Amino acid sequence: MKKLTIAELPNAVETLYGKMESIETLLNEKNHIYGHNDRKKRYFIQEKCSTNFNKSDLAQFFYILMDEEILFFRAKGQNCNRSKMQHFIQTNFTYTGDSNLQVEIDTISKQFSESKGFTYRDKQLRFLDKIIAILQERKHKLTKR
């Protein structure tokens, strides 16, 4: 690397800054988490679990599991469970978007509210029928063996 003159320094700093921004953007796009381990710097990729559910169905699925106390964070404390479950889903899952691509979840609060409301009763019943059909097919496959 050649030694820079004072006149070349501003351009070199600008170039370096641009490269640093590019690296930061790349790391953010790839969901890298920066961490320390025994004074050594390491990079971890935060991989999310993909699902074939759309966002609404994913919320209903987890809401049902939470509401029926199959999955929960605290045995008593529905409000705490709800906020922790929403955070858990947003942090760890993607859903199938409109163009059949996996999409990260910014927030799932609205869909969780819809899962609780009686306004969406028919939608919930259709979802439950879909899940029951999947589980019945699974049971049928196991009994055939």
Side-chain angles (χ1 to χ4, degrees), residues 21-46:
E21 279 185 322
S22 296
I23 291 170
E24 286 176 349
T25 301
L26 176 66
L27 292 176
N28 285 334
E29 287 174 1
K30 298 294 182 184
N31 293 320
H32 283 74
I33 298 175
Y34 179 79
H36 293 280
N37 187 12
D38 297 329
R39 297 184 191 169
K40 293 180 184 176
K41 297 176 184 176
R42 300 190 333 163
Y43 291 93
F44 297 97
I45 297 174
Q46 181 184 3

Side-chain angles (χ1 to χ4, degrees), residues 48-62:
K48 295 189 176 194
C49 183
S50 301
T51 175
N52 284 325
F53 286 141
N54 62 36
K55 192 174 180 182
S56 179
D57 285 352
L58 182 64
Q60 287 192 55
F61 180 72
F62 276 100

Side-chain angles (χ1 to χ4, degrees), residues 38-94:
D38 297 329
R39 297 184 191 169
K40 293 180 184 176
K41 297 176 184 176
R42 300 190 333 163
Y43 291 93
F44 297 97
I45 297 174
Q46 181 184 3
E47 187 173 4
K48 295 189 176 194
C49 183
S50 301
T51 175
N52 284 325
F53 286 141
N54 62 36
K55 192 174 180 182
S56 179
D57 285 352
L58 182 64
Q60 287 192 55
F61 180 72
F62 276 100
Y63 187 86
I64 290 166
L65 294 175
M66 181 193 70
D67 202 38
E68 297 300 324
E69 297 179 355
I70 296 170
L71 295 178
F72 54 88
F73 289 91
R74 290 192 185 154
K76 308 244 187 235
Q78 188 171 359
N79 287 339
C80 176
N81 279 330
R82 179 180 166 151
S83 64
K84 287 186 179 205
M85 187 64 72
Q86 288 174 339
H87 179 71
F88 173 75
I89 295 166
Q90 291 165 189
T91 304
N92 295 296
F93 287 87
T94 61

